[in-house]
Amino acid sequence: MQCPKDRRVELVDSTLAPALAAKCCPDCQGTWIPATEYESWQAHQPQPTVDALPKVLDVEFVQSPFDTKAALCPECGRYLSRAKVGVRIPFYVERCLDCGGIWCDHGEWDVLEKMGLHTVIQQLFSSEWQTRIREKEYAIAEQQATIDKLGPELAARVFELAEYLQAHPNGDFGVAYLMRRFDKPEPLKKTSMSQGPS
């Protein structure tokens, strides 16, 4: 069985967790998890719901240089599907949609384990999960734009106020007040009329 990223290298037997057999590439350090092995191991793991999954996907991580390379399933030879699971440091987990096997580049399994996602890898390929990722990316970009425009000190106060208003039962009144303050029509500009000599 050859490495999905470099088919000249043969995978060797390995383990990712107790009772989870896998195949490791001695060259790129990536790991192939056969579907039967993963499903058997997964059946004995606690299964969090989608709502219980982490809201902030941000873990110290060095992306593998092989992460962007297309991969072929070592079992059936088909191209592996990719699912984004990172935000600030995005990376992709790959899966064969035919046989169900999973490929993790070097370090990705450890990150998934820290996030509590290692037991629900199939969910990462769902439209619901990918929608959540896009929403998080937009929120982070919006937050950074606010910091760039207002500066870090004022932006921090805005974020804090937003959290207070969101948690308050009548927070919408505060939001409406702020919107009215900034929605005032601009005063009419006085135009100076030049008068000629009498």
Side-chain angles (χ1 to χ4, degrees), residues 11 24 51 53 59 68 73-77 81 83 89 94-95 101 106-108 119-120 134 144 148 180 192 194 197:
L11 299 175
C24 181
D51 292 337
L53 296 180
V59 176
T68 57
C73 175
E75 295 189 36
C76 60
S81 178
I89 306 175
E94 289 145 295
R95 182 170 179 252
H106 177 61
E108 292 177 354
T119 63
V120 289
R134 287 191 291 272
Q144 187 58 54
D148 294 342
R180 285 195 301 273
S192 57
S194 57

Side-chain angles (χ1 to χ4, degrees), residues 131-149:
T131 297
R132 173 181 285 191
I133 289 294
R134 287 191 291 272
E135 289 172 352
K136 285 294 176 187
E137 288 178 328
Y138 177 79
I140 288 173
E142 185 180 44
Q143 190 175 52
Q144 187 58 54
T146 303
I147 293 171
D148 294 342
K149 292 291 185 182

Side-chain angles (χ1 to χ4, degrees), residues 2 16 21 43 53 70 73 76 81 83-84 88 113 117 127 129 144 158 162-163 169 187 197:
Q2 280 77 35
L16 276 178
L53 296 180
C73 175
C76 60
S81 178
K84 182 184 282 190
R88 293 187 187 276
E113 195 170 18
L117 301 176
S127 58
W129 176 266
Q144 187 58 54
V158 169
E163 288 184 9

Side-chain angles (χ1 to χ4, degrees), residues 1 4 9-11 19 24 28 34 46 53 78 85 111 113 119 130 132 142 146 148 155 163 165 181 183 186:
M1 192 179 292
V9 180
E10 285 199 14
L11 299 175
C24 181
C28 71
L53 296 180
R78 300 196 177 191
V85 294
V111 175
E113 195 170 18
T119 63
Q130 293 303 315
R132 173 181 285 191
E142 185 180 44
T146 303
D148 294 342
E163 288 184 9
L165 291 174
R181 286 290 303 268
D183 199 29
E186 292 186 9

Side-chain angles (χ1 to χ4, degrees), residues 176-191:
Y177 170 77
L178 290 172
M179 291 178 67
R180 285 195 301 273
R181 286 290 303 268
F182 289 93
D183 199 29
K184 290 182 177 178
E186 292 186 9
L188 295 174
K189 294 180 180 178
K190 294 181 179 179
T191 55

Side-chain angles (χ1 to χ4, degrees), residues 47-188:
Q47 296 296 302
T49 64
V50 173
D51 292 337
L53 296 180
K55 294 181 179 179
V56 178
L57 305 178
D58 189 16
V59 176
E60 289 295 327
F61 174 67
V62 178
Q63 185 185 31
S64 167
F66 294 92
D67 188 45
T68 57
K69 186 175 181 180
L72 296 174
C73 175
E75 295 189 36
C76 60
R78 300 196 177 191
Y79 277 103
L80 300 181
S81 178
R82 293 158 58 84
K84 182 184 282 190
V85 294
V87 175
R88 293 187 187 276
I89 306 175
F91 67 94
Y92 295 86
V93 168
E94 289 145 295
R95 182 170 179 252
C96 179
L97 298 181
D98 186 40
C99 70
I102 297 164
W103 174 259
C104 292
D105 288 303
H106 177 61
E108 292 177 354
W109 175 266
D110 294 335
V111 175
L112 293 173
E113 195 170 18
K114 288 178 183 176
M115 294 180 183
L117 301 176
H118 61 309
T119 63
V120 289
I121 290 178
Q122 295 99 325
Q123 288 191 31
L124 306 181
F125 291 81
S126 69
S127 58
E128 185 178 3
W129 176 266
Q130 293 303 315
T131 297
R132 173 181 285 191
I133 289 294
R134 287 191 291 272
E135 289 172 352
K136 285 294 176 187
E137 288 178 328
Y138 177 79
I140 288 173
E142 185 180 44
Q143 190 175 52
Q144 187 58 54
T146 303
I147 293 171
D148 294 342
K149 292 291 185 182
L150 302 180
E153 185 177 341
L154 181 55
R157 295 175 68 181
V158 169
F159 300 149
E160 185 180 16
L161 177 60
E163 288 184 9
Y164 279 131
L165 291 174
Q166 190 173 22
H168 196 282
N170 296 317
D172 55 333
F173 284 91
V175 174
Y177 170 77
L178 290 172
M179 291 178 67
R180 285 195 301 273
R181 286 290 303 268
F182 289 93
D183 199 29
K184 290 182 177 178
E186 292 186 9
L188 295 174

